[in-house]
Amino acid sequence: MTSILAAEGAVNPLIPHPIEIIMSLIVFGILFYVVRTWVAPRFEKAFAERAEAIEGGLKRAEETQAEAKAALERYQQQLSEARHEASRIREEAKEQGAAIVAEMREQAQAEAQRIVAHAHTQLEAERQQALLQLRSEIGDLSTQLAGRIVGEALEDEGRQRRIVERFIAELEQQPVGEAR
């Protein structure tokens, strides 16, 4: 038993000394106070700033994205309007081109008709002139032939003309296939 008694008077290394416990509590309290008053607020402030920066960055990113989307929509709207305008201008140009072609075609047809009418008029005038010239030549030839046949010259020119014109008028009244 002596050894148990001897052990009771000795200090147990597993149980701390009461002064150490008190000193540890005081130091813990001081450290807790320092951390709570100076360190924790700074951490809280840094955390709040970081959270605010992240939220602000996200908000700015969303705003920027919304502005970019709005700008893209405006651009697409303008592009669509420009395409419609270009299409309208092309259609107007086609219509104007078709109108110009139609107008030119009408002018060309009118000019062709005028040329044809002028040609007909000129042809008719030349035909009449040729007929008069032929009548005159036929009359002269007929008179000469009649003079040779009869044996005397038919010198009365007025009379010659009347005879020739009457003969030609009779020929014109006869149908083409009929002979005398």
Side-chain angles (χ1 to χ4, degrees):
M1 264 251 171
T2 52
S3 68
I4 294 182
L5 288 173
E8 282 182 17
V11 177
N12 188 359
L14 293 177
I15 298 177
H17 199 280
I19 291 217
E20 286 180 356
I21 292 176
I22 294 172
M23 282 303 283
S24 294
L25 286 175
I26 291 173
V27 169
F28 178 75
I30 291 171
L31 280 174
F32 181 77
Y33 175 76
V34 167
V35 167
R36 185 169 181 193
T37 55
W38 285 304
V39 176
R42 288 186 181 172
F43 276 124
E44 287 293 326
K45 182 180 177 186
F47 177 72
E49 287 174 356
R50 177 168 265 185
E52 185 178 314
I54 290 171
E55 289 175 6
L58 288 174
K59 185 176 180 181
R60 283 191 304 275
E62 288 174 356
E63 289 173 355
T64 304
Q65 188 174 11
E67 288 175 6
K69 188 175 180 180
L72 178 64
E73 288 175 1
R74 284 192 309 270
Y75 168 73
Q76 288 175 341
Q77 176 77 19
Q78 290 172 350
L79 184 61
S80 175
E81 289 173 0
R83 285 182 181 152
H84 288 298
E85 182 69 16
S87 175
R88 185 187 60 78
I89 290 171
R90 277 193 304 269
E91 288 301 319
E92 285 180 4
K94 284 180 185 177
E95 290 173 1
Q96 289 176 353
I100 289 171
V101 167
E103 182 180 334
M104 290 305 224
R105 194 172 282 146
E106 288 175 10
Q107 288 177 357
Q109 287 176 348
E111 182 66 18
Q113 288 175 352
R114 186 189 63 77
I115 290 171
V116 167
H118 179 69
H120 282 295
T121 304
Q122 188 174 3
L123 189 62
E124 183 61 30
E126 288 175 5
R127 184 179 159 284
Q128 289 297 328
Q129 185 179 3
L131 270 174
L132 289 175
Q133 189 176 8
L134 277 175
R135 279 185 179 182
S136 173
E137 287 179 18
I138 288 175
D140 289 342
L141 289 174
S142 298
T143 309
Q144 288 175 4
L145 184 62
R148 284 185 188 168
I149 291 175
V150 174
E152 63 183 67
L154 299 172
E155 297 198 9
D156 184 13
E157 220 173 285
R159 188 172 167 207
Q160 287 176 359
R161 287 250 184 257
R162 286 191 304 274
I163 292 172
V164 170
E165 286 177 8
R166 186 180 69 217
F167 179 72
I168 291 175
E170 287 175 6
L171 283 177
E172 287 177 352
Q173 291 176 356
Q174 281 184 345
V176 176
E178 192 176 309
R180 283 190 155 194

